[in-house]
Every structure is written in structure tokens, then in C-alpha cells.
Amino acid sequence: MVKKQSKFLIQQKIGLNIFAITLVGIAIYLGIKTFEDSPLGEFVEGEHYQLLDNPRRVRSDKVEVMEFFSYGCVHCFDFEAMLSEWANAKKDSINFIRTPAIASDYWRALGRAFFALDQMELIEDHHMTIFRAIHQSRQDLSNAELLFDFMEENGVSRENFASIYRSSQVNTAMNQADQMARRLKVASVPTIVVQGKYLIRTTRSVGPSRMLDVMDYLIAKERQSKEIN
């Protein structure tokens, strides 16, 4: 009698375990299904991106994507290949803007170099040249004279580059970049700002490649908002 009762209890426990496993499986399935079916449920504000308190108004039919970076930042260098490929693939549908961050005298010199090349329409030719020189060749480009020498070695007129580097246009661009970073609360690089109001930075939840996914999500969210309005 005792043996029969024990056998019954064992069978009952097995049945309850199977039932519990089935319930867990159903819950997981429903959770995944809800996640997949919700177009706005993949990324969470406050965890994967921030909604800025003081957004910048964007006047364009295209969604604006602004990267804050520095040539002196190794994480920006590591991110650049992925970001450039992503931006080139979407160049017809987004307005992609690079903005140098100014966190030190060194980064300020590099930021001026970026804007000087931008004024000369040579960014695409020398953007990666500067990145590679600093992070692969370990060249010292920490001041104006070293930058002038470097650009001359790479086929850019030293006189023209130096003149534009010190120009009022570059001064204005630097001031605007600094003010923009302060307004948008850019505290580290690389940082991405989508449509002047969504800020994405690398965190435990968001690595460099994940940033691109969050960017895609926010671009789709912004386009959806425009269609509704």
C-alpha cells in the first residue's frame, strides 16, 4: 500500500513538473511574440537611449544623425568603420553630420583640423588618415605645428591648411560645436544624437554595434511619427 502511494506521489510530482515547464514555455513564447509584434518595444528610453530635455530643432525632410567624436578617442576609431558603412548605406535617407568633441587642448587641436579639412572639402580624403596615424602609427598630432607637418606629408598645402586652421570660419565652427555638445549633454564619445532629441552612448546595454541598431530603431520611430502627423 505504501509502495503504491509512493509511486502515485512520484507520478504526481512528474506531472506537476511537466505542467510547470509547459507554462514557462508558453510564457516565454508569448513574451517573444509580443516583443516581435511591437514595433516600438525593442529599445527602452532610459536604458538604450535618452530623450533630451533641450532638443535641437531639425529643419529637414531627412532624419538627422549627428556623431560626436574625437580623432584622439580610440573607441571612435574602432567605431568608425561600422559607422561609415552604415551611413553610406543610408546616405539617401538620412543627413549624417560629424561633430568633433572638445574635451582638452589636444582634442581642440584635432577638432580644428577636422573643420579645416571640412572647409577645404578634404574630409573624405583624410578622415581615416588622421585616425590611423594616431591609433595605428602612434604619431603625435597634439598641436598645430605637428598637424601642419602631418598634412603637408600627406599632400595638403601646409600654407593653405594653416591659414584655414586659424581662420574665423573654423573659430565659429569650433564654438558652435562646443555649444552644441553642452546643449545636448554630450559627456563622452562616441555619442550619437538622432533628430536633435535622442541621445545614444555606449553603455553595458549598448555596445558599438548595438548603437547602430538603436539608431535604426529611432530613425524608424521618427519616420513613423512624421507619417502620423
Side-chain angles (χ1 to χ4, degrees):
M1 182 71 178
V2 174
K3 287 184 178 180
K4 287 183 179 180
Q5 192 173 20
S6 297
K7 187 175 181 181
F8 173 75
L9 289 173
I10 291 170
Q11 290 174 340
Q12 191 176 42
K13 286 181 181 179
I14 292 172
L16 288 172
N17 286 337
I18 293 172
F19 179 69
I21 291 169
T22 302
L23 285 179
V24 170
I26 292 171
I28 292 172
Y29 170 78
L30 291 175
I32 292 172
K33 188 64 177 171
T34 301
F35 178 85
E36 290 176 344
D37 290 345
S38 176
L40 301 179
E42 186 173 356
F43 297 106
V44 179
E45 179 188 337
E47 181 180 353
H48 301 102
Y49 67 92
Q50 305 292 328
L51 186 62
L52 293 166
D53 296 330
N54 187 22
R56 185 175 75 85
R57 186 174 181 182
V58 177
R59 296 179 176 85
S60 174
D61 292 335
K62 295 182 178 180
V63 176
E64 180 186 274
V65 177
M66 180 180 290
E67 180 207 15
F68 287 87
F69 81 102
S70 172
Y71 287 126
C73 166
V74 67
H75 303 296
C76 299
F77 173 60
D78 292 338
F79 186 43
E80 180 59 32
M82 286 186 289
L83 180 61
S84 291
E85 183 179 1
W86 178 92
N88 286 334
K90 297 179 181 294
K91 62 185 177 181
D92 294 332
S93 58
I94 67 167
N95 185 22
F96 179 64
I97 301 170
R98 293 186 180 103
T99 302
I102 304 161
S104 65
D105 289 342
Y106 175 35
W107 283 20
R108 183 175 295 276
L110 295 172
R112 294 187 76 87
F114 171 85
F115 283 124
L117 289 171
D118 190 41
Q119 290 285 325
M120 300 172 77
E121 299 184 353
L122 293 175
I123 281 292
E124 295 307 315
D125 294 333
H126 296 288
H127 187 62
M128 287 307 300
T129 305
I130 297 177
F131 260 137
R132 292 191 187 103
I134 295 171
H135 299 290
Q136 291 181 342
S137 302
R138 305 298 179 188
Q139 287 189 246
D140 183 2
L141 300 179
S142 58
N143 62 53
E145 292 302 321
L146 291 171
L147 282 161
F148 299 163
D149 290 342
F150 175 76
M151 296 315 303
E152 186 175 36
E153 290 167 5
N154 283 274
V156 178
S157 166
R158 180 191 177 95
E159 183 179 356
N160 289 344
F161 181 79
S163 176
I164 295 173
Y165 181 95
R166 298 186 176 111
S167 68
S168 60
Q169 291 94 331
V170 168
N171 287 340
T172 299
M174 288 288 289
N175 289 335
Q176 289 175 343
D178 194 20
Q179 290 171 12
M180 186 67 65
R182 292 174 187 274
R183 175 178 177 176
L184 300 179
K185 297 182 179 179
V186 176
S188 62
V189 289
T191 288
I192 300 292
V193 177
V194 175
Q195 200 64 1
K197 59 184 178 182
Y198 303 109
L199 184 144
I200 313 161
R201 60 168 63 100
T202 54
T203 65
R204 289 183 179 180
S205 301
V206 183
S209 61
R210 191 69 162 160
M211 286 181 79
L212 301 179
D213 295 332
V214 181
M215 289 153 64
D216 283 334
Y217 163 75
L218 291 173
I219 289 170
K221 178 183 175 73
E222 192 63 22
R223 285 181 179 149
Q224 185 183 61
S225 175
K226 287 183 177 182
E227 288 174 3
I228 293 172
N229 294 333

